[in-house]
Amino acid sequence: MTYNTSCLLLPLALIFLDIILISSLAHPIPTTLNVLSYGAKQDGSTDSTKAFLAAWDAACASANPTTIIVPTGRFLVGNLVFQGHECKRAPISIRIAGSIVAPGDFRVIASSEHWISFEDVTDVSIYGGILDAQGTSLWNCKNSGGDNCPTGAKSLVFTGSNNIIINGLTSINSQKFHIVFDNSNNVNIDGVKVSADVNSPNTDGIHVESSHSVHITNSRIGTGDDCISIGPGSTNLFIQNIQCGPGHGISIGSLGRLEEEQGVYNVTVSNVDFMGSSNGVRIKTWGKNSKSFARNIVFQHITMKMVKNPIIIDQHYCLKKPCPKQESGVEISNVRYEDIHGTSNTEVAVMLDCSKEKPCTGIVMNDVNLVSVNRPAQASCDNANGLANDVVPFTPCLKSEIITT
């Protein structure tokens, strides 16, 4: 009997084709794009803004996971806005081996609120690289009292975004805030380095506002303002293994600028070294009417080295004199301080300056030992209630916790 092998081969070929097609759908082939292919130059003087935007547009249009490569060299870019609302929503990874630098004339990017912005993106990750906003000349303008100094641009901003990873990025010399997350969810920041001069105004290292499930770990931050600042509407934040200094410490707030304002809750700050900063762990609120709040906050396993205000709650925060003669309406409750040791650069190592209208409640301190150089440290306490166990300096507004075995 004779078999027609061609009749057998055709169905087999169709089966193999289906297998390949199904496999490709289940495991999309990643795409790699190099900004050099879109006209970017590595000389630090040729404007590569359009090249970066073109690479993003190509990645955005891809249904496959895409990696944008920024190779070694210095890439000059102006204001960049990466839009995500029309993307295919496949993951986009940006791997930076070199430096991305802003124009030397600070006015070029200072006319915008941000230098590099991601809006409405999902599943975006940034690995490595240096962002240099060259903000020194703007700092000098502001510090000299110039009347025509712009506010400045934030270096890297994510707005309305989800599932964001930043790993190994270095941000230096920002005009204003370095890294900002606004109205974003599921953010992981690891191994970041942030650096600006101690006299650089408003150069917060990492700022989180109206965002949820944010993890900031294993990072070194030294700036002229807060190392990490947490604004209204932020929930479920985890901050661990941070070196902070110089700067204004890690701050929740300022809260209560507006009467109708979301609160902050579920924040854990753990394993932090503060070195020469003007504050350590701080909660600050405006002295005015507000429906905002801060609750369920944990500060633990912290070392202070010559910190001006190691532990501070300031509910009479005010930038310009005269300050409004009102009590803060922000409710602060369930704040825990555990295993905090080190040195204060001032006599008052613990300051709990709470509101008469809404006293702080549920303040708990365990295993706190702060000393002032060459003299005993003190605590200042107003309108705060809670418990203390093994706390130095003695904090009179907190009752001694009785521990039974």
Side-chain angles (χ1 to χ4, degrees), residues 345-347 371-377:
N345 199 27
T346 59
E347 189 174 357
V371 298
S372 182
V373 179
N374 298 325
R375 55 188 172 181

Side-chain angles (χ1 to χ4, degrees), residues 77-79 102-103 105-115 133 153 175:
V77 300
N79 295 107
D105 182 354
F106 65 80
R107 293 177 179 82
V108 175
I109 66 169
S111 58
S112 173
E113 291 185 3
H114 45 70
W115 175 29
Q175 291 189 351

Side-chain angles (χ1 to χ4, degrees), residues 179 181 189 192 194 204-208 216 221 226-229:
I179 301 171
F181 291 92
I189 306 167
V192 163
V194 176
D204 293 41
I206 299 173
H207 178 72
V208 180
I216 305 171
I221 304 171
D226 293 330
C227 291
I228 298 173
S229 54

Side-chain angles (χ1 to χ4, degrees), residues 170-185:
T170 297
S171 176
I172 62 176
N173 303 325
S174 181
Q175 291 189 351
K176 201 176 178 186
F177 296 1
H178 285 256
I179 301 171
V180 175
F181 291 92
D182 186 8
N183 193 29
S184 297
N185 304 307

